Amino acid sequence: MILLDGKLVAQSVKDDLKNRVNDLKLKGQKLPHLAAILVGNNGASETYVASKVKTCEEIGYKSTLIRFEATINEETLLEKIRELNEDPDVDGILVQLPLPKQISEEKVIDTISAEKDVDGFHPVSIGRLVQGLPSFVPATPYGILLLLEYYKIETKGKHAVVIGRSNIVGRPISILLSQNTPTGNCTVTVCHSHTKNIKEICLQGDIIVAALGRPEFLSGEMVREGAIVIDVGITRVEDKTKKSGFKIKGDVKFDEVAPKSSYITPVPGGVGAMTIAALMKNTLQACLNKISK
Ligand code: NAP
């Protein structure tokens, strides 16, 4: 079994981005600038946004963090996004999800300019991705592809089973794995909450991507010998022995599945670590797209 070390690969992506930022500096060009909007004070969202801002600093990007109270009305948030769309210095805009109930996530995503949609959630980005055109790939699926690429894992002809069909993880990774690309050419089965015989389907998977948000759902008896297992799940589970009061659990029963796998991602330190690195790649791309215009 080989552990797919997200921290290691993310560091190599970040080192590469640092070099590219230095090149931009030497040429006197504009540096990438990410604007992040955080609404309310959800603990997990605070942590994610803080890491994104910290990673920008580490790489040498400019970042702006805009915070709003959880009670903000939708129009105020949309107005801020429109302002950032018009700001020539801002390359990428992200609005940390989930949002409070009074705000439509769909409207928020639609309002972000497709050219600054570094999260890759805008319908234009998804449409381009489906058509195999250059686009901002949502960060988590992009991070998974970067991991597969780094470890030179052959995907061609493999049967990939994706559990979950969300717009941010399951759906895009299932499309990407099926495309005619070096990290694609799989035959893909997508499972969701209405799937019957999920154990039998998983047992047919050469690659399994577990992205359902149910801690330790994928057990050893659901996985064939030699499978490649990608655990996307991040769930906070109460743990009184931890200072924070919780620990992070993935969607895979690691102790049972790891011995049967050829490759597996740990949680934490797997896909989660890659997601921010992928977001940073998208932000550089947004900046370069602007420079080349
Ligand atoms: P989501 O929007 O809640 O989607 C979950 C998907 O799993 C849905 O399609 C749902 O089916 C399916 N599902 C739920 N229970 C199931 C079951 N028992 N059997 C089969 N399918 C089932 O979640 P998400 O945003 O995709 O996130 C999934 C997990 O990944 C979460 O733990 C989240 O925290 C984590 N995540 C991690 C990263 C990272 O950076 N590592 C990034 C994003 C998300 P239906 O469509 O039928 O409801």
Side-chain angles (χ1 to χ4, degrees):
M1 181 272 289
I2 295 173
L3 207 61
L4 298 172
D5 186 340
K7 278 193 189 156
L8 176 103
V9 183
Q11 193 54 53
S12 109
V13 171
K14 287 189 279 184
D15 289 344
D16 176 53
L17 292 173
K18 262 186 223 167
N19 290 334
R20 298 178 68 180
V21 167
N22 282 335
D23 287 347
L24 289 175
K25 269 189 201 154
L26 288 174
K27 289 182 193 152
Q29 279 172 328
K30 176 189 179 329
L31 300 185
H33 179 181
L34 177 69
I37 301 182
L38 176 61
V39 181
N41 44 17
N42 170 292
S45 296
E46 292 264 4
T47 310
Y48 293 144
V49 170
S51 315
K52 289 168 189 177
V53 169
K54 187 168 153 258
T55 309
C56 282
E57 281 163 15
E58 226 180 279
I59 298 176
Y61 293 2
K62 192 170 165 189
S63 68
T64 303
L65 172 59
I66 300 140
R67 301 191 65 132
F68 289 110
E69 296 290 327
T71 49
I72 185 186
N73 67 48
E74 189 179 84
E75 189 44 37
T76 310
L77 177 58
L78 297 181
E79 199 38 50
K80 187 66 195 177
I81 296 170
R82 289 185 203 107
E83 198 185 294
L84 294 170
N85 284 343
E86 295 303 317
D87 184 340
D89 193 55
V90 171
D91 300 298
I93 303 170
L94 78 83
V95 179
Q96 188 65 42
L97 303 179
L99 291 167
K101 286 190 187 66
Q102 74 276 15
I103 298 170
S104 153
E105 288 189 358
E106 198 185 320
K107 270 196 204 164
V108 165
I109 290 168
D110 281 359
T111 303
I112 295 172
S113 153
E115 288 166 8
K116 299 189 179 187
D117 173 42
V118 287
D119 257 338
F121 298 160
H122 192 281
V124 169
S125 303
I126 297 289
R128 291 181 65 86
L129 180 147
V130 170
Q131 293 187 338
L133 298 170
S135 69
F136 295 117
V137 176
T140 302
Y142 191 9
I144 295 172
L145 298 188
L146 293 170
L147 265 181
L148 295 172
E149 197 178 87
Y150 185 93
Y151 284 90
K152 299 188 171 52
I153 294 175
E154 178 67 86
T155 52
K156 187 165 64 180
K158 293 212 161 81
H159 181 193
V161 175
V162 176
I163 316 174
R165 57 178 170 184
S166 72
N167 287 340
I168 64 168
V169 191
R171 180 73 64 208
I173 192 66
S174 67
I175 294 165
L176 291 160
L177 288 171
S178 74
Q179 280 173 333
N180 186 2
T181 57
T183 46
N185 284 314
C186 291
T187 303
V188 179
T189 303
V190 180
C191 300
H192 45 75
S193 65
H194 300 281
T195 301
K196 291 184 178 142
N197 306 327
I198 199 159
K199 177 181 163 193
E200 285 69 28
I201 295 170
C202 288
L203 278 168
Q204 292 167 25
D206 302 309
I207 300 174
I208 303 178
V209 179
L212 67 160
R214 302 273 178 277
E216 301 193 323
F217 175 87
L218 192 79
S219 60
E221 58 170 23
M222 296 171 81
V223 177
R224 69 153 63 150
E225 287 291 335
I228 297 154
V229 179
I230 310 290
D231 188 353
V232 182
I234 298 182
T235 306
R236 288 182 169 200
V237 179
E238 192 183 287
D239 183 347
K240 294 207 170 94
T241 68
K242 302 265 175 200
K243 207 170 133 199
S244 59
F246 66 85
K247 63 179 167 197
I248 301 291
K249 285 261 179 205
D251 287 346
V252 175
K253 246 183 205 155
F254 189 87
D255 293 349
E256 287 182 21
V257 175
K260 297 179 86 176
S261 315
S262 55
Y263 295 90
I264 187 166
T265 59
V267 174
V271 175
M274 290 304 300
T275 296
I276 295 183
L279 171 74
M280 295 297 136
K281 274 181 83 78
N282 278 344
T283 306
L284 175 70
Q285 192 56 52
C287 176
L288 295 178
N289 290 348
K290 197 183 279 168
I291 290 172
S292 68
K293 263 191 175 174

